[in-house]
mmCIF file of all heavy atoms in Angstrom:
data_model
loop_
_atom_site.group_PDB
_atom_site.id
_atom_site.type_symbol
_atom_site.label_atom_id
_atom_site.label_comp_id
_atom_site.label_asym_id
_atom_site.label_seq_id
_atom_site.Cartn_x
_atom_site.Cartn_y
_atom_site.Cartn_z
ATOM 1 N N GLN A 1 172.463 137.193 54.392
ATOM 2 C CA GLN A 1 173.546 136.822 55.301
ATOM 3 C C GLN A 1 173.851 135.328 55.249
ATOM 4 O O GLN A 1 175.009 134.923 55.323
ATOM 5 C CB GLN A 1 173.199 137.240 56.732
ATOM 6 C CG GLN A 1 173.258 138.748 56.964
ATOM 7 C CD GLN A 1 172.846 139.138 58.371
ATOM 8 O OE1 GLN A 1 172.227 138.337 59.091
ATOM 9 N NE2 GLN A 1 173.185 140.356 58.777
ATOM 10 N N THR A 2 172.823 134.508 55.154
ATOM 11 C CA THR A 2 173.034 133.065 55.140
ATOM 12 C C THR A 2 173.662 132.574 53.828
ATOM 13 O O THR A 2 174.452 131.636 53.817
ATOM 14 C CB THR A 2 171.708 132.326 55.374
ATOM 15 O OG1 THR A 2 170.752 132.743 54.381
ATOM 16 C CG2 THR A 2 171.158 132.604 56.766
ATOM 17 N N LYS A 3 173.321 133.210 52.711
ATOM 18 C CA LYS A 3 173.882 132.896 51.395
ATOM 19 C C LYS A 3 173.783 131.406 51.018
ATOM 20 O O LYS A 3 174.666 130.871 50.366
ATOM 21 C CB LYS A 3 175.360 133.327 51.353
ATOM 22 C CG LYS A 3 175.579 134.807 51.561
ATOM 23 C CD LYS A 3 177.058 135.150 51.540
ATOM 24 C CE LYS A 3 177.274 136.638 51.776
ATOM 25 N NZ LYS A 3 178.713 136.993 51.761
ATOM 26 N N ASN A 4 172.712 130.774 51.463
ATOM 27 C CA ASN A 4 172.541 129.356 51.108
ATOM 28 C C ASN A 4 171.346 129.112 50.189
ATOM 29 O O ASN A 4 170.925 127.974 49.999
ATOM 30 C CB ASN A 4 172.422 128.498 52.367
ATOM 31 C CG ASN A 4 171.247 128.923 53.241
ATOM 32 O OD1 ASN A 4 170.472 129.811 52.857
ATOM 33 N ND2 ASN A 4 171.123 128.311 54.407
ATOM 34 N N ASN A 5 170.779 130.225 49.681
ATOM 35 C CA ASN A 5 169.686 130.144 48.711
ATOM 36 C C ASN A 5 168.514 129.302 49.226
ATOM 37 O O ASN A 5 167.935 128.497 48.495
ATOM 38 C CB ASN A 5 170.177 129.564 47.383
ATOM 39 C CG ASN A 5 169.209 129.832 46.235
ATOM 40 O OD1 ASN A 5 168.592 130.902 46.171
ATOM 41 N ND2 ASN A 5 169.044 128.867 45.337
ATOM 42 N N SER A 6 168.184 129.499 50.488
ATOM 43 C CA SER A 6 167.066 128.753 51.073
ATOM 44 C C SER A 6 166.253 129.659 51.979
ATOM 45 O O SER A 6 166.727 130.703 52.442
ATOM 46 C CB SER A 6 167.578 127.547 51.864
ATOM 47 O OG SER A 6 168.355 127.969 52.956
ATOM 48 N N VAL A 7 165.036 129.256 52.226
ATOM 49 C CA VAL A 7 164.117 129.986 53.113
ATOM 50 C C VAL A 7 163.993 129.203 54.414
ATOM 51 O O VAL A 7 164.451 128.056 54.495
ATOM 52 C CB VAL A 7 162.739 130.152 52.431
ATOM 53 C CG1 VAL A 7 162.867 131.000 51.181
ATOM 54 C CG2 VAL A 7 162.132 128.794 52.104
ATOM 55 N N PRO A 8 163.392 129.782 55.454
ATOM 56 C CA PRO A 8 163.228 129.052 56.715
ATOM 57 C C PRO A 8 162.465 127.744 56.532
ATOM 58 O O PRO A 8 161.611 127.616 55.649
ATOM 59 C CB PRO A 8 162.435 130.032 57.582
ATOM 60 C CG PRO A 8 162.789 131.372 57.036
ATOM 61 C CD PRO A 8 162.939 131.175 55.566
ATOM 62 N N LEU A 9 162.781 126.785 57.383
ATOM 63 C CA LEU A 9 162.132 125.474 57.289
ATOM 64 C C LEU A 9 160.632 125.555 57.548
ATOM 65 O O LEU A 9 159.890 124.652 57.173
ATOM 66 C CB LEU A 9 162.773 124.508 58.294
ATOM 67 C CG LEU A 9 164.240 124.143 58.024
ATOM 68 C CD1 LEU A 9 164.759 123.201 59.107
ATOM 69 C CD2 LEU A 9 164.392 123.509 56.646
ATOM 70 N N SER A 10 160.194 126.635 58.182
ATOM 71 C CA SER A 10 158.754 126.800 58.429
ATOM 72 C C SER A 10 157.979 127.001 57.141
ATOM 73 O O SER A 10 156.745 126.924 57.126
ATOM 74 C CB SER A 10 158.504 127.979 59.379
ATOM 75 O OG SER A 10 159.091 129.171 58.874
ATOM 76 N N CYS A 11 158.718 127.255 56.018
ATOM 77 C CA CYS A 11 158.070 127.390 54.718
ATOM 78 C C CYS A 11 157.813 126.031 54.075
ATOM 79 O O CYS A 11 157.103 125.945 53.071
ATOM 80 C CB CYS A 11 158.946 128.218 53.777
ATOM 81 S SG CYS A 11 158.873 130.003 54.080
ATOM 82 N N CYS A 12 158.422 124.990 54.628
ATOM 83 C CA CYS A 12 158.279 123.663 54.038
ATOM 84 C C CYS A 12 156.890 123.093 54.279
ATOM 85 O O CYS A 12 156.318 123.266 55.365
ATOM 86 C CB CYS A 12 159.317 122.716 54.635
ATOM 87 S SG CYS A 12 161.025 123.138 54.208
ATOM 88 N N LYS A 13 156.363 122.417 53.289
ATOM 89 C CA LYS A 13 155.061 121.779 53.430
ATOM 90 C C LYS A 13 155.118 120.716 54.519
ATOM 91 O O LYS A 13 156.096 119.963 54.616
ATOM 92 C CB LYS A 13 154.632 121.159 52.108
ATOM 93 C CG LYS A 13 154.379 122.191 51.007
ATOM 94 C CD LYS A 13 153.984 121.536 49.700
ATOM 95 C CE LYS A 13 153.727 122.580 48.614
ATOM 96 N NZ LYS A 13 153.375 121.978 47.313
ATOM 97 N N ALA A 14 154.082 120.670 55.345
ATOM 98 C CA ALA A 14 154.076 119.802 56.517
ATOM 99 C C ALA A 14 154.218 118.326 56.164
ATOM 100 O O ALA A 14 154.759 117.541 56.943
ATOM 101 C CB ALA A 14 152.797 120.026 57.321
ATOM 102 N N ALA A 15 153.756 117.942 54.994
ATOM 103 C CA ALA A 15 153.775 116.528 54.611
ATOM 104 C C ALA A 15 155.169 116.039 54.229
ATOM 105 O O ALA A 15 155.410 114.829 54.130
ATOM 106 C CB ALA A 15 152.814 116.290 53.454
ATOM 107 N N LEU A 16 156.104 116.976 54.017
ATOM 108 C CA LEU A 16 157.453 116.604 53.579
ATOM 109 C C LEU A 16 158.410 116.546 54.761
ATOM 110 O O LEU A 16 158.472 117.479 55.565
ATOM 111 C CB LEU A 16 157.965 117.605 52.538
ATOM 112 C CG LEU A 16 157.104 117.756 51.277
ATOM 113 C CD1 LEU A 16 157.671 118.840 50.382
ATOM 114 C CD2 LEU A 16 157.022 116.433 50.524
ATOM 115 N N SER A 17 159.177 115.494 54.858
ATOM 116 C CA SER A 17 160.126 115.335 55.964
ATOM 117 C C SER A 17 161.565 115.647 55.560
ATOM 118 O O SER A 17 162.421 115.872 56.417
ATOM 119 C CB SER A 17 160.056 113.898 56.512
ATOM 120 O OG SER A 17 160.340 112.964 55.472
ATOM 121 N N ASN A 18 161.837 115.671 54.273
ATOM 122 C CA ASN A 18 163.206 115.895 53.812
ATOM 123 C C ASN A 18 163.400 117.269 53.180
ATOM 124 O O ASN A 18 164.369 117.496 52.439
ATOM 125 C CB ASN A 18 163.608 114.806 52.805
ATOM 126 C CG ASN A 18 162.680 114.777 51.591
ATOM 127 O OD1 ASN A 18 161.601 115.364 51.624
ATOM 128 N ND2 ASN A 18 163.108 114.104 50.533
ATOM 129 N N CYS A 19 162.494 118.184 53.455
ATOM 130 C CA CYS A 19 162.575 119.534 52.890
ATOM 131 C C CYS A 19 163.666 120.340 53.600
ATOM 132 O O CYS A 19 163.732 120.345 54.835
ATOM 133 C CB CYS A 19 161.225 120.239 53.009
ATOM 134 S SG CYS A 19 161.240 121.953 52.451
ATOM 135 N N THR A 20 164.496 121.027 52.827
ATOM 136 C CA THR A 20 165.577 121.855 53.387
ATOM 137 C C THR A 20 165.309 123.350 53.205
ATOM 138 O O THR A 20 166.113 124.174 53.634
ATOM 139 C CB THR A 20 166.910 121.502 52.704
ATOM 140 O OG1 THR A 20 166.805 121.772 51.300
ATOM 141 C CG2 THR A 20 167.270 120.039 52.940
ATOM 142 N N GLY A 21 164.208 123.694 52.567
ATOM 143 C CA GLY A 21 163.893 125.099 52.326
ATOM 144 C C GLY A 21 164.592 125.678 51.119
ATOM 145 O O GLY A 21 164.539 126.891 50.884
ATOM 146 N N SER A 22 165.262 124.845 50.346
ATOM 147 C CA SER A 22 166.014 125.334 49.183
ATOM 148 C C SER A 22 165.078 125.875 48.112
ATOM 149 O O SER A 22 164.046 125.274 47.788
ATOM 150 C CB SER A 22 166.866 124.202 48.608
ATOM 151 O OG SER A 22 167.499 124.623 47.418
ATOM 152 N N LEU A 23 165.463 127.028 47.541
ATOM 153 C CA LEU A 23 164.665 127.635 46.476
ATOM 154 C C LEU A 23 164.804 126.880 45.159
ATOM 155 O O LEU A 23 164.092 127.182 44.197
ATOM 156 C CB LEU A 23 165.086 129.100 46.293
ATOM 157 C CG LEU A 23 164.687 130.047 47.426
ATOM 158 C CD1 LEU A 23 165.177 131.456 47.139
ATOM 159 C CD2 LEU A 23 163.178 130.046 47.638
ATOM 160 N N THR A 24 165.731 125.932 45.108
ATOM 161 C CA THR A 24 165.852 125.106 43.901
ATOM 162 C C THR A 24 164.743 124.066 43.821
ATOM 163 O O THR A 24 164.545 123.444 42.777
ATOM 164 C CB THR A 24 167.219 124.385 43.881
ATOM 165 O OG1 THR A 24 167.328 123.561 45.044
ATOM 166 C CG2 THR A 24 168.354 125.409 43.864
ATOM 167 N N ARG A 25 164.023 123.884 44.944
ATOM 168 C CA ARG A 25 162.878 122.958 44.954
ATOM 169 C C ARG A 25 161.630 123.700 45.453
ATOM 170 O O ARG A 25 161.151 123.481 46.576
ATOM 171 C CB ARG A 25 163.181 121.760 45.869
ATOM 172 C CG ARG A 25 164.291 120.856 45.324
ATOM 173 C CD ARG A 25 164.485 119.654 46.230
ATOM 174 N NE ARG A 25 163.268 118.871 46.393
ATOM 175 C CZ ARG A 25 162.844 117.946 45.532
ATOM 176 N NH1 ARG A 25 163.539 117.693 44.427
ATOM 177 N NH2 ARG A 25 161.737 117.266 45.758
ATOM 178 N N PRO A 26 161.125 124.627 44.659
ATOM 179 C CA PRO A 26 159.974 125.440 45.078
ATOM 180 C C PRO A 26 158.708 124.615 45.328
ATOM 181 O O PRO A 26 157.813 125.064 46.047
ATOM 182 C CB PRO A 26 159.781 126.414 43.914
ATOM 183 C CG PRO A 26 160.419 125.740 42.744
ATOM 184 C CD PRO A 26 161.583 124.982 43.305
ATOM 185 N N MET A 27 158.658 123.403 44.712
ATOM 186 C CA MET A 27 157.469 122.577 44.922
ATOM 187 C C MET A 27 157.368 122.062 46.362
ATOM 188 O O MET A 27 156.307 121.620 46.782
ATOM 189 C CB MET A 27 157.470 121.399 43.944
ATOM 190 C CG MET A 27 158.534 120.328 44.196
ATOM 191 S SD MET A 27 160.232 120.893 43.811
ATOM 192 C CE MET A 27 160.107 121.130 42.039
ATOM 193 N N ASP A 28 158.473 122.148 47.125
ATOM 194 C CA ASP A 28 158.461 121.710 48.526
ATOM 195 C C ASP A 28 157.969 122.807 49.473
ATOM 196 O O ASP A 28 157.742 122.550 50.657
ATOM 197 C CB ASP A 28 159.877 121.295 48.971
ATOM 198 C CG ASP A 28 160.363 120.050 48.257
ATOM 199 O OD1 ASP A 28 159.532 119.382 47.615
ATOM 200 O OD2 ASP A 28 161.573 119.754 48.347
ATOM 201 N N LEU A 29 157.789 124.023 48.942
ATOM 202 C CA LEU A 29 157.468 125.182 49.779
ATOM 203 C C LEU A 29 156.007 125.606 49.605
ATOM 204 O O LEU A 29 155.395 125.374 48.557
ATOM 205 C CB LEU A 29 158.383 126.355 49.410
ATOM 206 C CG LEU A 29 159.888 126.069 49.375
ATOM 207 C CD1 LEU A 29 160.639 127.298 48.867
ATOM 208 C CD2 LEU A 29 160.388 125.654 50.749
ATOM 209 N N TYR A 30 155.488 126.237 50.642
ATOM 210 C CA TYR A 30 154.146 126.823 50.538
ATOM 211 C C TYR A 30 154.203 127.951 49.518
ATOM 212 O O TYR A 30 155.103 128.798 49.550
ATOM 213 C CB TYR A 30 153.675 127.364 51.875
ATOM 214 C CG TYR A 30 153.467 126.307 52.928
ATOM 215 C CD1 TYR A 30 154.162 126.352 54.137
ATOM 216 C CD2 TYR A 30 152.561 125.271 52.729
ATOM 217 C CE1 TYR A 30 153.957 125.391 55.118
ATOM 218 C CE2 TYR A 30 152.354 124.301 53.698
ATOM 219 C CZ TYR A 30 153.062 124.362 54.894
ATOM 220 O OH TYR A 30 152.863 123.403 55.842
ATOM 221 N N SER A 31 153.263 127.984 48.622
ATOM 222 C CA SER A 31 153.282 128.975 47.537
ATOM 223 C C SER A 31 152.546 130.262 47.888
ATOM 224 O O SER A 31 152.795 131.309 47.284
ATOM 225 C CB SER A 31 152.667 128.374 46.276
ATOM 226 O OG SER A 31 151.327 127.941 46.531
ATOM 227 N N GLU A 32 151.661 130.203 48.865
ATOM 228 C CA GLU A 32 150.846 131.380 49.202
ATOM 229 C C GLU A 32 151.566 132.262 50.215
ATOM 230 O O GLU A 32 152.232 131.771 51.134
ATOM 231 C CB GLU A 32 149.502 130.935 49.763
ATOM 232 C CG GLU A 32 148.484 132.050 49.845
ATOM 233 C CD GLU A 32 147.080 131.542 50.109
ATOM 234 O OE1 GLU A 32 146.903 130.308 50.235
ATOM 235 O OE2 GLU A 32 146.159 132.369 50.189
ATOM 236 N N GLY A 33 151.454 133.583 50.032
ATOM 237 C CA GLY A 33 152.057 134.527 50.965
ATOM 238 C C GLY A 33 151.277 134.646 52.258
ATOM 239 O O GLY A 33 150.095 134.304 52.323
ATOM 240 N N CYS A 34 151.949 135.158 53.287
ATOM 241 C CA CYS A 34 151.342 135.193 54.627
ATOM 242 C C CYS A 34 150.502 136.445 54.890
ATOM 243 O O CYS A 34 149.599 136.411 55.720
ATOM 244 C CB CYS A 34 152.437 135.097 55.695
ATOM 245 S SG CYS A 34 153.276 133.495 55.731
ATOM 246 N N GLU A 35 150.804 137.538 54.204
ATOM 247 C CA GLU A 35 150.126 138.789 54.525
ATOM 248 C C GLU A 35 148.610 138.668 54.392
ATOM 249 O O GLU A 35 147.860 139.008 55.313
ATOM 250 C CB GLU A 35 150.624 139.920 53.629
ATOM 251 C CG GLU A 35 149.954 141.256 53.943
ATOM 252 C CD GLU A 35 150.491 142.392 53.088
ATOM 253 O OE1 GLU A 35 151.285 142.130 52.167
ATOM 254 O OE2 GLU A 35 150.114 143.547 53.344
ATOM 255 N N ALA A 36 148.143 138.172 53.263
ATOM 256 C CA ALA A 36 146.699 138.049 53.037
ATOM 257 C C ALA A 36 146.063 137.104 54.042
ATOM 258 O O ALA A 36 144.945 137.353 54.531
ATOM 259 C CB ALA A 36 146.430 137.565 51.619
ATOM 260 N N LEU A 37 146.770 136.035 54.404
ATOM 261 C CA LEU A 37 146.217 135.057 55.342
ATOM 262 C C LEU A 37 146.169 135.602 56.765
ATOM 263 O O LEU A 37 145.240 135.313 57.516
ATOM 264 C CB LEU A 37 147.039 133.761 55.299
ATOM 265 C CG LEU A 37 146.987 132.998 53.972
ATOM 266 C CD1 LEU A 37 147.865 131.753 54.033
ATOM 267 C CD2 LEU A 37 145.549 132.598 53.642
ATOM 268 N N VAL A 38 147.187 136.379 57.149
ATOM 269 C CA VAL A 38 147.190 137.003 58.476
ATOM 270 C C VAL A 38 146.037 138.001 58.591
ATOM 271 O O VAL A 38 145.317 138.034 59.597
ATOM 272 C CB VAL A 38 148.538 137.705 58.756
ATOM 273 C CG1 VAL A 38 148.441 138.590 60.004
ATOM 274 C CG2 VAL A 38 149.643 136.670 58.949
ATOM 275 N N VAL A 39 145.869 138.810 57.542
ATOM 276 C CA VAL A 39 144.760 139.782 57.527
ATOM 277 C C VAL A 39 143.425 139.055 57.641
ATOM 278 O O VAL A 39 142.550 139.440 58.432
ATOM 279 C CB VAL A 39 144.805 140.630 56.242
ATOM 280 C CG1 VAL A 39 143.524 141.459 56.110
ATOM 281 C CG2 VAL A 39 146.010 141.553 56.259
ATOM 282 N N LYS A 40 143.263 137.998 56.861
ATOM 283 C CA LYS A 40 142.015 137.225 56.892
ATOM 284 C C LYS A 40 141.763 136.633 58.269
ATOM 285 O O LYS A 40 140.637 136.684 58.786
ATOM 286 C CB LYS A 40 142.085 136.107 55.853
ATOM 287 C CG LYS A 40 140.822 135.260 55.775
ATOM 288 C CD LYS A 40 140.968 134.157 54.732
ATOM 289 C CE LYS A 40 139.733 133.263 54.696
ATOM 290 N NZ LYS A 40 139.869 132.171 53.712
ATOM 291 N N LYS A 41 142.819 136.089 58.901
ATOM 292 C CA LYS A 41 142.677 135.483 60.223
ATOM 293 C C LYS A 41 142.270 136.520 61.260
ATOM 294 O O LYS A 41 141.348 136.289 62.061
ATOM 295 C CB LYS A 41 144.004 134.832 60.628
ATOM 296 C CG LYS A 41 143.978 134.130 61.981
ATOM 297 C CD LYS A 41 143.098 132.902 61.953
ATOM 298 C CE LYS A 41 143.181 132.125 63.252
ATOM 299 N NZ LYS A 41 142.313 130.926 63.247
ATOM 300 N N LEU A 42 142.928 137.664 61.265
ATOM 301 C CA LEU A 42 142.622 138.708 62.246
ATOM 302 C C LEU A 42 141.218 139.275 62.035
ATOM 303 O O LEU A 42 140.515 139.590 62.996
ATOM 304 C CB LEU A 42 143.667 139.820 62.171
ATOM 305 C CG LEU A 42 145.098 139.423 62.561
ATOM 306 C CD1 LEU A 42 146.044 140.600 62.405
ATOM 307 C CD2 LEU A 42 145.143 138.906 63.992
ATOM 308 N N GLN A 43 140.816 139.394 60.774
ATOM 309 C CA GLN A 43 139.467 139.884 60.489
ATOM 310 C C GLN A 43 138.412 138.866 60.918
ATOM 311 O O GLN A 43 137.324 139.241 61.390
ATOM 312 C CB GLN A 43 139.326 140.214 59.003
ATOM 313 C CG GLN A 43 140.092 141.458 58.587
ATOM 314 C CD GLN A 43 139.935 141.785 57.130
ATOM 315 O OE1 GLN A 43 139.613 140.919 56.305
ATOM 316 N NE2 GLN A 43 140.162 143.031 56.750
#
């Protein structure tokens, strides 16, 4: 729906202040998925 080729800003690495969530700069985003981490946390 957004059609801006970006992910939520919550995906941006905390150390970066100018991150827009754009998929053209994947190095600015967290690379690990959340499912495994959520499972690990709950366990």
Side-chain angles (χ1 to χ4, degrees):
Q1 288 177 344
T2 56
K3 299 179 181 180
N4 59 4
N5 197 37
S6 64
V7 296
L9 294 179
S10 56
C11 282
C12 294
K13 294 179 180 178
L16 302 176
S17 58
N18 59 345
C19 176
T20 61
S22 175
L23 290 179
T24 59
R25 292 183 58 83
M27 70 289 295
D28 293 347
L29 309 175
Y30 294 122
S31 58
E32 193 167 0
C34 292
E35 181 178 7
L37 295 179
V38 168
V39 170
K40 181 181 177 181
K41 181 68 174 179
L42 295 178
Q43 289 181 337

